[in-house]
Amino acid sequence: MGPGVKHSVNVCIAGMLVLSLLPSNEEVTGKRYPLNIKYTYMFLSSKSNRSDKMRIDTSNPWRFNFIDTAALIELWGYKSEEHKVTTEDGYIISLYRILPKQEGSPPVLVMHGFLACSETFLVRGKPDLAIMLSEAGYDVWLSNFRGNYNGKGHINMTAEDENFWKFSFHEMGLYDLPAFVDFILHRTGFMKMTLLGHSFSNAIIMIMTSLRPEYNEKINLFVGMAPFVFASHLRQGPLLEFLIKSVSRYCNKVRKFELLERRPINPIVRICDSIPFGCVLTYLFILGINKPNYDQNLVPSINGYFPSGTSLYTMAHLIDLYRQRRFCQFDYGRDQNLLRYNSEEPPDYDLSRVTIPILLYSGGADFFTDSRDVTRLEMSLPNLIGSHVLTTYNHFDFVISSDTKEVFYDDMMEVVAKYQQVPPLADSITRRPPRTVTSGRARG
């Protein structure tokens, strides 16, 4: 990555972090402003049945009220359920379900990536993975994790409390994901289920199954897309390490520990509506440079749902993985580490305890999951059944690229079907090999 590209990446990431720290109650008045990309209107809620223009708060041209996961599911013609799941440590998180075609359909949990939310897999409709799985006869569930837009509940705290934000993705693996698995299996009556995850949800399932190995017995298969686990070669690592130190000082000063939250007042949506290709270029610089292969009409809507927020501690833990060159627990500093871990350094997560069958898909143009880190993950997993490199994909193409079905969704769903206790209703899979290059070792 050349100096010019590195500079552009630095500017993009720094700008996003600065925007996340600005107050969210700015008032911008003006006349009514229609959107250029009409597709976005489908995702905006309105209390009236009047014209599309009324779907924007006319007192503020920067405010957008995007519909939630349940409404998105219903927008594409399916019935939905929202469940509030309470974790062992008291967080209350929304778990969504696309109601299956019939009772007894095998359950599948689809997990979003870093800074995302359950809406991530629903912005395209029929081509989306969650919709494809439902059409194929699965009982599809969509997760959120603590601290994002759909995960800000707690039994005795609010998101305004400083202590609410004292978590990283360690707690997501230790508490959130086990709560989802138990809830879904209890609700459906199945003994095992399938998990599919994008980005840092790969790290979350590794945490769950290494620290709570009994959950290996509850998962029949995990499919990891853009598997962010090891981060020794994270290209944005030096910049992020510097930014997190600076942001931490600011957050400690103002006692604000939420970062990059979703805002109803969102200038980025308006900017991406006016110059969508400019926003596309910004994300290419951050996520991986390749030829964009998705509908640019999606760009404003994607930015309405992304980023959806996380804690400062989660960002700091991400940097720990880069700085320590290990997949390890949160680094509290020497003194606290001695108290918590009886060690000056945080301990590694023991991936030898992760015994579930795992299938990986990584991107050849992904700035967040370097091929060397993916290879290290492959070598650490005792039950890796396959690993493929999608040579042209960056970090987000796994979710929004126009050719996901042909490139790897069909192949993925064929593997998923082989691991079910009962077969799905429909055989809607077009059986063709993925356009991939095999990477590392495939075991089975």
Side-chain angles (χ1 to χ4, degrees):
M1 185 164 55
V5 174
K6 286 184 178 179
H7 176 72
S8 299
V9 171
N10 294 352
V11 170
C12 293
I13 296 177
M16 290 179 67
L17 280 169
V18 169
L19 279 174
S20 78
L21 296 172
L22 293 173
S24 59
N25 59 351
E26 301 92 337
E27 288 298 328
V28 183
T29 59
K31 63 182 180 179
R32 190 178 302 164
Y33 289 91
L35 290 169
N36 296 314
I37 298 177
K38 305 305 179 185
Y39 185 76
T40 309
Y41 286 123
M42 292 200 312
F43 302 98
L44 298 175
S45 63
S46 175
K47 294 182 179 180
S48 68
N49 293 319
R50 289 179 284 178
S51 69
D52 283 342
K53 295 178 183 179
M54 295 303 294
R55 292 179 180 267
I56 301 172
D57 185 339
T58 56
S59 69
N60 190 331
W62 307 104
R63 182 185 293 274
F64 301 89
N65 301 311
F66 280 82
I67 60 178
D68 64 9
T69 301
L72 272 174
I73 293 169
E74 292 162 10
L75 175 67
W76 305 124
Y78 300 84
K79 294 181 180 180
S80 68
E81 290 178 351
E82 179 183 5
H83 300 273
K84 299 289 188 181
V85 177
T86 303
T87 67
E88 291 177 33
D89 59 341
Y91 284 80
I92 303 171
I93 305 167
S94 289
L95 179 66
Y96 290 92
R97 183 187 194 185
I98 303 175
L99 288 177
K101 296 175 181 290
Q102 70 175 31
E103 291 296 321
S105 299
V108 175
L109 177 64
V110 182
M111 301 180 291
H112 64 77
F114 185 56
L115 293 172
C117 57
S118 51
E119 290 90 352
T120 300
F121 288 95
L122 292 168
V123 294
R124 295 187 297 163
K126 188 175 180 180
D128 278 315
L129 178 59
I131 300 300
M132 285 183 61
L133 287 164
S134 182
E135 279 296 307
Y138 293 96
D139 186 352
V140 181
W141 299 72
L142 295 119
S143 77
N144 291 281
F145 291 105
R146 65 182 64 196
N148 82 357
Y149 185 78
N150 300 312
K152 292 187 177 181
H154 196 278
I155 57 175
N156 53 30
M157 290 190 289
T158 73
E160 302 301 317
D161 294 322
E162 180 180 322
N163 286 333
F164 178 93
W165 297 101
K166 291 184 177 180
F167 63 81
S168 75
F169 49 84
H170 173 85
E171 284 76 16
M172 299 175 195
L174 188 62
Y175 299 118
D176 297 0
L177 186 52
F180 300 152
V181 170
D182 289 340
F183 183 92
I184 293 169
L185 293 180
H186 176 76
R187 185 85 177 188
T188 62
F190 276 73
M191 300 295 291
K192 291 176 178 280
M193 61 182 294
T194 300
L195 272 59
L196 294 84
H198 176 245
S199 183
F200 91 138
S201 61
N202 286 259
I204 291 171
I205 191 170
M206 302 301 166
I207 292 168
M208 178 183 76
T209 47
S210 63
L211 295 183
R212 306 182 71 167
E214 67 273 17
Y215 280 87
N216 284 289
E217 301 303 318
K218 300 183 180 184
I219 311 300
N220 54 35
L221 175 69
F222 171 66
V223 180
M225 298 166 279
F228 184 89
V229 178
F230 291 101
S232 301
H233 300 93
L234 179 65
R235 299 191 193 189
Q236 298 88 347
L239 167 69
L240 287 172
E241 188 171 13
F242 168 77
L243 286 175
I244 290 302
K245 288 180 180 177
S246 301
V247 170
S248 295
R249 287 193 292 267
Y250 174 84
C251 290
N252 279 295
K253 181 178 179 180
V254 301
R255 312 314 295 172
K256 172 184 167 61
F257 296 94
E258 179 182 13
L259 293 180
L260 297 167
E261 66 267 32
R262 188 195 301 180
R263 298 160 174 265
I265 297 175
N266 190 343
I268 298 177
V269 173
R270 178 69 66 183
I271 293 168
C272 291
D273 177 70
S274 301
I275 46 172
F277 191 68
C279 291
V280 170
L281 287 177
T282 299
Y283 280 104
L284 289 179
F285 283 132
I286 296 173
L287 301 171
I289 296 176
N290 61 2
K291 182 180 179 180
N293 187 28
Y294 52 87
D295 186 354
Q296 292 186 27
N297 287 324
L298 292 171
V299 174
S301 302
I302 290 170
N303 283 280
Y305 294 112
F306 180 90
S308 279
T310 191
S311 69
L312 174 65
Y313 284 74
T314 298
M315 297 286 283
H317 195 174
L318 183 153
I319 296 303
D320 285 345
L321 302 187
Y322 167 75
R323 184 171 51 82
Q324 296 274 353
R325 302 294 194 265
R326 300 181 290 125
F327 183 47
C328 59
Q329 297 191 33
F330 191 88
D331 187 356
Y332 290 93
R334 179 183 178 278
D335 293 342
Q336 281 296 313
N337 287 343
L338 283 169
L339 290 173
R340 293 171 179 267
Y341 308 131
N342 197 30
S343 169
E344 293 183 3
E345 298 291 337
D348 289 348
Y349 296 107
D350 184 359
L351 295 184
S352 68
R353 304 180 79 187
V354 181
T355 59
I356 54 175
I358 294 177
L359 174 64
L360 299 177
Y361 293 93
S362 55
D366 188 345
F367 281 179
F368 274 86
T369 53
D370 186 276
S371 61
R372 291 165 291 183
D373 291 326
V374 175
T375 298
R376 186 177 177 186
L377 174 62
E378 293 167 351
M379 301 294 288
S380 302
L381 296 172
N383 197 7
L384 179 69
I385 64 170
S387 182
H388 302 283
V389 178
L390 311 186
T391 55
T392 62
Y393 271 32
N394 70 17
H395 200 67
F396 207 36
D397 286 330
F398 293 87
V399 178
I400 63 169
S401 182
S402 299
D403 60 3
T404 48
K405 182 179 187 297
E406 296 79 13
V407 169
F408 80 107
Y409 279 3
D410 283 339
D411 175 72
M412 175 201 300
M413 291 175 65
E414 185 173 350
V415 177
V416 169
K418 292 178 181 178
Y419 280 82
Q420 301 310 309
Q421 293 173 253
V422 297
L425 276 178
D427 185 7
S428 63
I429 305 167
T430 304
R431 301 188 185 277
R432 57 168 68 87
R435 281 188 269 152
T436 66
V437 177
T438 302
S439 169
R441 294 187 292 175
R443 309 170 192 168

